Amino acid sequence: MSIDTRAIETHSTDNRRFKPSPEFSARARIGTLERFNEMYRESLDSPETFYKRETAELVFRKPWSALSEWKPPFAKWFLGAELNASESCLDKHLKTARRDAPAIVWESEPGETRTLTYAELHARVVELAAALRELGAKKGDRIAIYMGMVPEVVVGMLACARIGAPHTVVFGGFAAESLRDRINDCQARFVLTQDGAYRRGGVVPLKATVDQALEATPTVEKVLVYRRLGQALAPITMKPGRDLDWVETTKNAKASLGEAPEIVDAEHPLFILYTSGSTGKPKGVLHTTAGYLTGAHITSKYVFDLRDDDVYFCTADVGWVTGHSYIVYGPLSNGATCLLYEGAPNFPDWGRFWNIIQKHKVTILYTAPTAIRAFIRQGTEWPAKYDLSSLRLLGSVGEPINPEAWMWYHENIGRGRCPIVDTWWQTETGSIMLTTLPGVHATQPGATGFPFFGVEPEVVGADGKAVGKGQGGLLILRRPWPSMLRTVWGDDARYEKQYFSEIPGSYFTGDGANVDADGYYHVVGRIDDVLNVAGHRIGTAEIESALVSHRAVAEAAAVGRPDELKGQALVAFVTLKPGNEPGDAMKKALAEHVAQEIGKFARPDDIRFAEGLPKTRSGKIMRRLLKDVAAGREAQGDISTLEDLNVLAKLRGQDE
Ligand code: WT7
């Protein structure tokens, strides 16, 4: 990979610091820097002691005989231990006062509320586990979940965990093609879906998309369909012999069949989650049971300082890793009350999140910079109308948060009172790696923070040597951690190449970062061919392969350009085959084609036609130049190997 580190140093440094209030620290799970440092040192120097104590709240049926094994690039954690993740999230609480406390408070887009206590959530999960077992699902079978934000999606995930069947949740915004590829890659036997989901007042026809995807998925045997909207709003056809009604099937199943959790080995696959990389084919990131659960549990507890009386609202979709770790496994294993919201942040208006916070007395909010920037555009009058005094802690995730957005969040949502945790992590890391702790560290707009327990990061140059304070470089993780991905599903070679070949022996994140004089990490963004558009990870190669699958396209290159709202916007440069007319109609057709192939969220923001793309003499597309063109910058760096300088001039001409 050629690494372009030009932009890594040129971030905005913001030297404002906000100390945690003495009141917050006094009540926090960790309230002093001394205690944090002590625990951090222990997590690295005596990990056995650290993890033994910190996993005491999780249910292990059999303890581990060795904490970890590291045969680069393959790690194992909690060797010999046996457990079932759903016991830590559900059964454990049945013996305590949490039994009748709300596990999920669900608010639908139209505004209804449904609450499931831990006892109720447990019962639903047991029923579904029973139904799945009656259908023949067993340990190790893969189950795809294509649903919206309804309590049943959580029930679905935990029921899979209960029977030892790894789930693969596919975000409801993905198109049929993408769903099909994911199902086929992991050879799922079952699909859990719903008829349709509300989104911005309209209906997303999830079941119809499943039908389309399943035209070419030979491994799928049964589909369970949860009727969220009903036939009038979301008409569906049930395929006899394949499709089953969720409620009917679970009601008829013998619940006792779902009671006993499948006790699995610590390294048994818990889930596969597909994410974009630098090739056209998404990677199935594999997470295993004990290590992942440990990471999600400990980070939720300390970073969000979770307590029984909190109402915790994470606005992510369960289709992304944030939803897995910080709506399902982390909070539930801590016995938290999670607010689950079905719909769009601006439905019926831009006050929706603030209304939810006021109505349910939300105490912790975890959201993304893109959402915050969208709120900024709508004006402070929206949050100002609501009582947000219940909030005590704010979080940010998914992309770098610019200092302006940070300050707006701090002032208008936190009302100057709430610490903000800016959490850096990835689908692959499974849980938060860099952050501040809310009762411990002073926060700094635009800076992420420090390594969490057990995490040993470093910023290095291409030679793998640490760079100096303030200097930009590659963010790597020096040692394995419990919730790290174990491999790319079915492709150990890709796993090794992608994450462990750049800096041999260390995990390469794909991100550029620097550490300031006080040790704060600043993560600047991806330095590989992966974009982060509105908090969604998109591989440029995926966009390119979608574009060239259109009959009119000869060649395509996709790059990112800085965008005030989305962080990055997607710009595609396209060369058409002879006989095709460039113009607005073609732009629309190509954007629609990408939406059909991948999903609407991947539609390019800008498509530019070119007679040729700038290439090196060996025929490689010069992406760096295209990035400059897309951003309207003068080309920087070396262009001496450019095949045809006219091409560049012509691409530029389109700016005017
Ligand atoms: C990429 C991971 C983390 C779960 C949601 C996204 C970027 C994430 C931050 C942050 C700066 C961030 C990185 C990372 N990222 N959080 N706090 N500051 N950048 O998961 O889709 O796997 O994307 O998101 O570039 O590599 P993902």
Side-chain angles (χ1 to χ4, degrees):
M1 179 197 305
S2 72
I3 292 161
D4 176 8
T5 53
R6 280 176 306 159
I8 305 179
E9 285 118 272
T10 55
H11 65 286
S12 53
T13 350
D14 198 296
N15 288 322
R16 275 167 294 193
R17 291 270 163 89
F18 297 90
K19 287 206 186 106
S21 71
E23 302 83 65
F24 194 103
S25 299
R27 278 196 65 201
R29 287 186 179 270
I30 303 178
T32 65
L33 188 58
E34 292 68 42
R35 181 64 190 138
F36 171 79
N37 286 337
E38 201 177 277
M39 284 175 73
Y40 179 67
R41 275 322 326 160
E42 183 192 46
S43 72
L44 297 187
D45 299 341
S46 317
E48 278 83 8
T49 320
F50 177 84
Y51 286 109
K52 186 146 183 58
R53 186 184 62 244
E54 299 301 329
T55 56
E57 289 166 0
L58 298 173
V59 184
F60 280 87
R61 289 288 192 105
K62 198 177 144 205
W64 63 88
S65 48
L67 179 64
S68 64
E69 178 193 280
W70 178 223
K71 292 187 181 154
F74 300 105
K76 287 184 181 164
W77 283 84
F78 308 111
L79 284 85
E82 291 179 2
L83 74 165
N84 181 287
S86 81
E87 279 198 298
S88 288
C89 297
L90 302 168
D91 305 56
K92 181 179 93 181
H93 307 302
L94 301 184
K95 294 168 235 142
T96 73
R98 299 311 285 160
R99 182 193 163 84
D100 300 312
I104 294 177
V105 176
W106 179 67
E107 171 143 333
S108 74
E109 194 177 75
E112 326 126 65
T113 295
R114 227 175 100 195
T115 299
L116 273 87
T117 63
Y118 272 94
E120 286 163 343
L121 182 61
H122 173 265
R124 296 287 89 76
V125 170
V126 166
E127 272 173 20
L128 182 62
L132 287 167
R133 279 180 172 152
E134 274 188 3
L135 292 173
K138 53 176 197 329
K139 178 179 167 185
D141 287 344
R142 273 80 65 203
I143 301 184
I145 302 180
Y146 187 70
M147 298 179 73
M149 293 288 283
V150 289
E152 281 66 24
V153 75
V154 180
V155 172
M157 291 163 76
L158 291 173
C160 290
R162 196 159 189 92
I163 65 171
H167 54 70
T168 185
V169 183
V170 179
F171 171 55
F174 276 111
E177 290 287 327
S178 295
L179 175 59
R180 175 184 307 175
D181 290 347
R182 285 158 176 75
I183 288 174
N184 285 335
D185 187 76
C186 71
Q187 309 210 301
R189 279 185 73 195
F190 302 89
V191 177
L192 306 180
T193 189
Q194 66 189 66
D195 51 0
Y198 274 126
R199 187 75 192 174
R200 214 157 284 139
V203 170
V204 184
L206 294 166
K207 169 62 164 66
T209 305
V210 168
D211 289 340
Q212 231 183 311
L214 265 51
E215 281 166 19
T217 53
T219 55
V220 175
E221 294 166 31
K222 299 279 180 218
V223 179
L224 274 184
V225 186
Y226 173 67
R227 292 184 192 261
R228 154 77 185 105
L229 297 175
Q231 200 62 18
L233 277 170
I236 56 170
T237 11
M238 298 290 274
K239 188 172 171 186
R242 186 194 71 183
D243 300 349
L244 298 158
D245 183 88
W246 178 306
V247 173
E248 230 172 78
T249 314
T250 49
K251 229 192 275 151
N252 295 337
K254 221 166 96 205
S256 59
L257 243 175
E259 258 333 312
E262 183 80 35
I263 303 303
V264 299
D265 184 81
E267 284 298 332
H268 183 70
L270 179 62
F271 66 84
I272 301 163
L273 185 58
Y274 285 87
T275 189
S276 297
S278 43
T279 74
K281 192 173 174 273
K283 303 175 280 199
V285 166
L286 175 69
H287 282 289
T288 57
T289 307
Y292 170 80
L293 186 63
T294 297
H297 179 77
I298 304 184
T299 49
S300 297
K301 178 174 165 179
Y302 292 119
V303 179
F304 299 116
D305 194 45
L306 278 178
R307 252 180 297 234
D308 287 355
D309 54 1
D310 278 314
V311 178
Y312 161 85
F313 180 18
C314 167
T315 70
D317 192 283
V318 282
W320 308 108
V321 75
T322 307
H324 285 58
S325 303
Y326 299 111
I327 293 179
V328 183
Y329 292 102
L332 297 181
S333 66
N334 278 287
T337 294
C338 295
L339 197 126
L340 194 70
Y341 169 55
E342 179 181 39
N346 59 348
F347 187 87
D349 57 42
W350 286 94
R352 188 57 185 272
F353 277 9
W354 324 128
N355 183 297
I356 290 175
I357 290 168
Q358 170 180 289
K359 181 166 156 195
H360 299 282
K361 299 199 166 44
V362 169
T363 57
I364 302 169
L365 174 68
Y366 192 31
T367 195
T370 292
I372 297 166
R373 290 191 295 263
F375 291 127
I376 295 176
R377 284 208 175 171
Q378 304 305 317
T380 51
E381 55 273 28
W382 287 105
K385 284 191 224 167
Y386 296 90
D387 176 6
L388 304 181
S389 61
S390 56
L391 285 172
R392 67 180 192 95
L393 175 60
L394 305 175
S396 171
V397 62
E399 44 181 323
I401 178 165
N402 46 310
E404 300 69 40
W406 197 104
M407 284 307 297
W408 190 91
Y409 197 29
H410 173 74
E411 282 164 7
N412 295 288
I413 309 305
R415 310 260 152 101
R417 295 178 296 107
C418 305
I420 297 179
V421 288
D422 175 9
T423 61
W424 176 89
W425 59 295
Q426 311 177 296
T427 304
E428 293 88 340
T429 69
S431 59
I432 294 166
M433 299 280 106
L434 299 173
T435 183
T436 49
L437 283 204
V440 173
H441 301 110
T443 52
Q444 191 188 140
T448 302
F450 304 91
F452 187 75
F453 304 134
V455 179
E456 195 188 358
E458 196 154 85
V459 178
V460 300
D463 57 358
K465 296 219 177 80
V467 300
K469 288 265 156 83
Q471 279 185 299
L474 317 176
L475 179 63
I476 62 167
L477 301 172
R478 282 286 187 206
R479 60 161 88 192
W481 62 100
S483 65
M484 72 187 274
L485 80 163
R486 296 301 191 263
T487 189
V488 171
W489 183 257
D491 199 346
D492 286 351
R494 186 169 179 197
Y495 165 74
E496 174 154 27
K497 182 165 183 289
Q498 177 74 43
Y499 303 106
F500 291 93
S501 68
E502 196 71 33
I503 309 293
S506 291
Y507 171 87
F508 175 52
T509 63
D511 279 333
N514 65 74
V515 183
D516 69 23
D518 300 309
Y520 285 79
Y521 280 76
H522 299 242
V523 180
V524 183
R526 306 288 312 195
I527 53 176
D528 52 8
D529 293 328
V530 172
L531 304 181
N532 195 327
V533 177
H536 293 152
R537 195 204 281 204
I538 301 175
T540 53
E542 276 171 85
I543 303 292
E544 289 160 9
S545 82
L547 284 168
V548 297
S549 73
H550 189 276
R551 43 156 196 85
V553 175
E555 199 172 35
V559 297
R561 101 161 114 67
D563 183 88
E564 229 181 87
L565 190 63
K566 297 168 143 193
Q568 277 187 303
L570 177 60
V571 182
F573 293 89
V574 172
T575 311
L576 295 174
K577 288 181 187 158
N580 291 288
E581 207 39 54
D584 284 346
M586 182 60 78
K587 278 188 190 176
K588 254 180 104 182
L590 294 182
E592 195 40 44
H593 182 70
V594 174
Q596 283 295 319
E597 291 284 310
I598 302 175
K600 284 186 187 148
F601 66 91
R603 256 197 297 237
D605 298 278
D606 191 2
I607 294 180
R608 304 205 189 176
F609 297 108
E611 278 165 37
L613 297 176
K615 292 199 184 125
T616 62
R617 284 193 191 107
S618 59
K620 265 189 81 183
I621 294 176
M622 298 185 84
R623 292 171 176 286
R624 258 213 273 158
L625 290 186
L626 290 177
K627 274 190 214 168
D628 289 334
V629 173
R633 284 192 297 256
E634 271 304 301
Q636 296 174 32
D638 185 11
I639 53 167
S640 58
T641 56
L642 182 61
E643 180 58 20
D644 180 2
L645 277 165
N646 284 330
V647 166
L648 192 60
K650 280 195 187 142
L651 285 170
R652 277 253 180 59
Q654 296 190 17
D655 284 341
E656 274 88 68

